[in-house]
């Protein structure tokens, strides 16, 4: 999974792995909507992630009910980090085996945070987590720049995910979610839209 933040919004991306051709691809989720302006990408135990995402949604809705405003992305990240950390302290429980990238647009602008199973979290301009992150991070370091447009960030996210999958010889199936600064509303790109970006990348890389 990866996240990219730019002045025009945030992009979250994930490799969708299908274990067997008999599996319904619509039930392989790594990208989630937390609130209208916040999304999450997960890697690790999806069952653990489901519990944490549900709790993040409760925090987001409680904030709207109590303060009549959208929750800050860092606040929701910190609360989930606190919950993760709590499960590292006591006997009889185990830590949540999942890393989560939270991305969104709040009053501070485009925000991106990655959480660790230990409960620690850090803010990023661009970040990759999971298998193949070394190669993806190298691409992000070379090609990311702070003044990039949202369209460029989408292309970079798709390029990183495709290159990571190709390097491991796996089928290229990716999912992308964007939160534009203009609307502050999360939107998932359809397969046709992603394929269009991918074909554009192939054309731009041709000699």
């Amino acid at each position: 999974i990866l996240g990219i933040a730019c002045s025009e919004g945030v992009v979250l991306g994930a490799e969708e792995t299908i274990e067997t051709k008999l599996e319904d691809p619509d039930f392989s989720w790594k990208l989630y909507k937390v609130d209208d302006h916040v999304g999450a990408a997960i890697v690790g135990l999806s069952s653990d992630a489901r519990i944490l995402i549900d709790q993040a949604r409760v925090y987001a809705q409680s904030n709207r009910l109590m303060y009549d405003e959208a929750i800050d992305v860092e606040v929701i990240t910190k609360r989930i980090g606190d919950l993760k950390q709590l499960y590292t302290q006591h006997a009889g429980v185990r830590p949540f085996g999942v890393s989560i990238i939270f991305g969104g647009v709040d009053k501070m602008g485009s925000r991106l945070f990655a959480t660790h199973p230990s409960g620690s979290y850090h803010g990023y301009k661009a970040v990759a987590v999971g298998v193949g992150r070394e190669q993806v991070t190298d691409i992000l370091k070379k090609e990311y720049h702070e003044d990039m447009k949202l369209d460029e960030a989408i292309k970079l996210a798709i390029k990183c995910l495709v290159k990571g999958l190709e390097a491991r010889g796996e089928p290229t199936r990716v999912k992308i979610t964007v939160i534009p600064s203009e609307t502050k509303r999360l939107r998932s790109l359809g397969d046709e839209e992603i394929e269009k970006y991918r074909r554009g990348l192939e054309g731009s890389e041709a000699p």
Side-chain angles (χ1 to χ4, degrees):
I1 59 172
L2 60 78
I4 300 173
C6 64
S7 60
E8 292 188 352
V10 173
V11 179
L12 297 173
E15 302 172 353
E16 292 284 2
T17 54
I18 305 299
E19 294 181 2
T20 169
K21 63 182 181 180
L22 299 176
E23 183 180 346
D24 186 341
D26 292 334
F27 283 84
S28 178
W29 297 319
K30 286 189 178 180
L31 299 179
Y32 293 83
K33 178 179 179 179
V34 176
D35 200 350
D36 288 339
H37 66 301
V38 183
I42 67 101
V43 63
L45 296 177
S46 58
S47 54
D48 285 10
R50 189 175 65 247
I51 298 300
L52 293 172
I53 294 298
D54 283 347
Q55 188 61 59
R57 289 168 174 164
V58 170
Y59 290 143
Q61 294 306 307
S62 296
N63 198 85
R64 287 185 182 274
L65 287 170
M66 188 172 294
Y67 302 110
D68 195 27
E69 65 177 16
I71 195 169
D72 287 350
V73 182
E74 185 175 359
V75 170
I76 208 165
T77 304
K78 180 182 180 299
R79 288 185 177 179
I80 294 302
D82 290 346
L83 181 58
K84 284 185 172 186
Q85 196 278 334
L86 183 65
Y87 276 72
T88 68
Q89 295 187 55
H90 305 288
V93 298
R94 64 164 176 79
F96 287 96
V98 61
S99 293
I100 305 176
I101 297 174
F102 287 103
V105 180
D106 56 27
K107 59 180 177 283
M108 299 289 289
S110 301
R111 312 296 302 283
L112 189 67
F113 298 93
T115 70
H116 187 268
S118 67
S120 64
Y121 70 92
H122 299 276
Y124 292 90
K125 298 171 183 176
V127 63
V129 182
V131 177
R133 66 185 176 276
E134 294 85 3
Q135 182 182 16
V136 171
T137 300
D138 287 342
I139 297 173
L140 289 173
K141 286 179 179 178
K142 290 175 185 175
E143 301 192 22
Y144 175 83
H145 53 92
E146 292 186 34
D147 58 345
M148 71 192 320
K149 305 296 185 185
L150 186 60
D151 209 48
E152 294 176 294
I154 294 171
K155 290 177 183 176
L156 180 56
I158 292 172
K159 178 180 180 178
C160 288
L161 293 169
V162 169
K163 291 288 185 185
L165 286 164
E166 286 178 347
R168 303 199 304 276
E170 297 180 11
T172 53
R173 176 179 163 82
V174 303
K175 294 290 184 182
I176 298 290
T177 290
V178 298
I179 307 101
S181 299
E182 187 177 1
T183 62
K184 294 185 180 180
R185 296 189 72 87
L186 181 145
R187 181 175 75 88
S188 296
L189 302 190
D191 291 339
E192 290 182 4
E193 199 171 353
I194 293 172
E195 185 60 28
K196 189 179 188 181
Y197 277 108
R198 185 181 167 191
R199 284 198 300 268
L201 283 171
E202 289 172 352
S204 65
E205 292 174 3

